[in-house]
Amino acid sequence: MRGSRGCGGGGGGGAGGGEVAAAAFAAVLLCCVMALVGGAAAQGPRLPSVYKTLNEPGSLMRFGPSKISSGFGHLGVVISEQMLSNEGGTAISDAPLVVAKGGFSGVFPDSSQGAYSYALIASALGTALWCDVQLTKDGFGVCLRDINMQNCTSIAEAYPARKRTYVVDGVRKTGWFASDFTIAELQSVFLTQAIWSRTDRFDYAEYPIFNVTDFLSAVKGASIWLNVQHPTFYTQRGLNMRSYILSVQKGLSVDYISSPELGFLQSISARVGRKTKLAFSFLDKNLSDYSINRTYGSLLSNLTFIKSIASGIVVPKSYIWQVTNDNYLLSSTSIVTEAHDAGLEIYASDFANDRIIPYNYSYDPLAEYLSFISDGGFSVDGVLSEHPITASEAIGCFADLNSRKTDHGQPLVISHNGASGDYPDCTDLAYHSAINDGADFIDCPVQVTSDGVLICMSSINLLDTTDVQTTPFSSLTYTVQEIQSTPGIFTFNLTWANISSSTLKPKISSPVSQYYLVRNPRYTNQGKFLKLSDFLAIVMDKNLSGVMITIENAAFVAESLGIDIVDNVNTALSAAGYDNQTTKEVLIQSKDSAVLVKLKQQKTRCKLVYTLPLGFGDASNSSLKDIKKFADAVAVDRNSVFTLSADFIIRQNNLMKDLQSAGLPVYAQVFRNEFVAQPLDFFGDETVEINYYVQSFNLSGIITDFPKTVSRYKKNTCTALGQDMPNYMLPVEVGGLAQFLVSFKSQPPSLPPMPTMNDSSVEEPPLPPVAPRNVPGGSPGSTTAPGAPSDAHTAPVSTGMLLVMVFTALLI
């Protein structure tokens, strides 16, 4: 077994371990190629004709016509010519360049065979492969993410006694450094994932460290970017980075060379090949480039000087879009325009799908790229990304979509509690945002107040959706076993006047708060709740296809509150004019089959959507026949579509196939942008997940917290290209990552198939008769609703309060 996380595997494998890893990798890589290419030669997307890049005359064409190896001839895999050339496609020298930083390092260990191969397979044609060059003790160049090998290799296990401390660019660093080891010694060291929040299972592939010349030979024909981060450090160690880089680029093609030391670039500028571009990398503005003793901030005002040495600059994202202390964007700076005015290309760095990005992007990494290439009114000349598939999508399929009209065709975009990813659930802000973001349908989960008013609220428990625990109503906490086993404060405990007052504020949902990811904190408690009648009036006045109304807890509401919620919803729809129009469709969704049975018996004109119970991966024929008796469509939770283990997809269940074979339209729910909300197979990119669902299943609709993301997907310019669709927009091979890990015995734990849904999972008794409204426990207009706390309900709370009082008295 492997050692501690961050250092990866043991050092005893030697070259043989690398050969085994390479051989095992070959088979899976071939499967990945076939899955992504689909047996067809993709021609590439039809990109916008003009990007606002520098696009100097005579600049390097992004797509060369030559045939290119996958990078690893000894693996027995060759990427097709069409994947790596522009033959038959569109040559676009002005498109921003995708730079795969360390390859596809957001998944595989940085600078590994897996990372570079997958970058070539899953990224845009012409993607540049980035190698951070470090020097060994005997003068060999190697591709390593960091000068300190501790967190990106297994060096600590291989050579535990050779830890050293050096001053690097004025900063003391302790760890293991390539300059202390020969190239032969590093053959027993393997690459590991450097970011601890990412899975370490690919460390077990024991990828060897790449010699730079071997790397260049292996990917011959691909665009290559060599980055030299610390040339002065190596000079201090008696190693000559300048001589090494010049010798490498003399014999092998290198397209880009970058460094944060302008003096180093100046020393090689007269000797590099005509086609090799030099780029100066800016670091933090307060740091200094010791090669010329200038701060990076001061160099920003002297771009013409940089142009005399380099043809481009690399800057952190924050140089272009500054960010506030609470993680919101400020206005963009003028650096892109200034660089272009100076004749410099400008590349933005630090892109990765699994980082916290400004809240303005709603956890959508593709939206962030767009602000750098089109939506900001300017375009950088390239982006450095650890997830190059997302950069490729943004540039190839989603740039300049503002002029494309909203498409109300399938799959329909259906909000989940409005745009609840950006604003508190079911508030006016969430609904208006969903409409502006391109939703086809907006939704209202109907709840009831103590005075019988129907309202839109995502949960019957106000503790979930409001700050009620901080208000005078906090004393109403009690348990209703028919609803939940834990105490709550429920909508039927308060009047509409209570709920709509300034005393009670909404609370934004945080479904992945266990990962410390919160949503739009500036609007945590903003917005106003709506009555169902107000909600319906909004929809009638907007360019929407219709509404989705969700009804839950109907039996409890009838028995305990004396309200027929089904009839009341019908009355509200009629009063709002939905009976007398044909432009707005009404979907009624419920997980209670009895609700839909009653509506079916009433011969409703609404479309009935049954929410399937959770935990089933298959469906029996008899259960499907029963569903079709009372439902027109079904809503399926994403967790029922795949079987997951350790966040990897290990199999696709049969449920979707069963439903569609039965002729049932399917709505999939609930889609979320946060990278932790998706299986690892979708690379932390919600667009990749949406793309898989849309292309793999004939979905009728997608229910989402972030309607803008799904609506934008429907406008993309690539999925309609058929055989010309680029590889990065083909559905990913779900389960491929877990299958790949089988070769190294690091696959996630196996799980049994999910159970099959049968008749008993679907059938329910009819809704009970409606009880009289004057049942004991409250009266209309009071803050204690009918059916609210009985003595049995309140006893635990009262006893608890008594204990607190006694304990307080003892303390005093």
Side-chain angles (χ1 to χ4, degrees), residues 474-487:
S474 60
S475 61
L476 298 177
T477 304
Y478 71 109
T479 301
V480 179
Q481 292 293 344
E482 298 92 329
I483 296 175
Q484 61 185 49
S485 60
T486 55

Side-chain angles (χ1 to χ4, degrees), residues 717-739:
T717 58
C718 290
T719 50
L721 294 178
Q723 293 295 316
D724 289 343
M725 186 162 55
N727 296 327
Y728 50 81
M729 284 298 288
L730 294 174
V732 299
E733 183 194 12
V734 296
L737 294 181
Q739 186 60 39

Side-chain angles (χ1 to χ4, degrees), residues 129-150:
L129 302 180
W130 170 287
C131 163
D132 280 294
V133 181
Q134 315 294 344
L135 290 180
T136 65
K137 186 176 183 179
D138 47 351
F140 285 87
V142 291
C143 295
L144 282 172
R145 175 189 179 98
D146 199 320
I147 193 170
N148 187 346
M149 302 169 64
Q150 180 172 0

Side-chain angles (χ1 to χ4, degrees), residues 65-84:
S66 61
K67 183 174 181 179
I68 302 178
S69 161
S70 70
F72 310 103
H74 63 283
L75 297 183
V77 180
V78 177
I79 307 301
S80 71
E81 182 172 354
Q82 292 287 0
M83 292 176 64
L84 293 160

Side-chain angles (χ1 to χ4, degrees), residues 775-795:
V775 294
S779 60
S782 69
T783 58
T784 304
S790 65
D791 290 343
H793 283 138
T794 57

Side-chain angles (χ1 to χ4, degrees), residues 368-452:
E368 183 181 32
Y369 285 105
L370 292 176
S371 72
F372 285 83
I373 65 170
S374 64
D375 292 357
F378 55 81
S379 178
V380 297
D381 298 277
V383 291
L384 278 59
S385 175
E386 296 179 16
H387 294 83
I389 188 172
T390 306
S392 300
E393 294 167 345
I395 295 168
C397 306
F398 291 92
D400 195 27
L401 296 182
N402 293 334
S403 61
R404 294 174 70 90
K405 294 182 179 179
T406 299
D407 173 16
H408 288 307
Q410 292 187 352
L412 298 170
V413 182
I414 304 173
S415 72
H416 179 245
N417 307 321
S420 56
D422 293 316
Y423 298 100
D425 295 4
C426 302
T427 58
D428 57 340
L429 293 178
Y431 287 129
H432 285 297
S433 179
I435 295 167
N436 293 335
D437 289 345
D440 300 308
F441 282 68
I442 58 174
D443 68 306
C444 172
V446 176
Q447 312 296 346
V448 181
T449 66
S450 66
D451 49 347

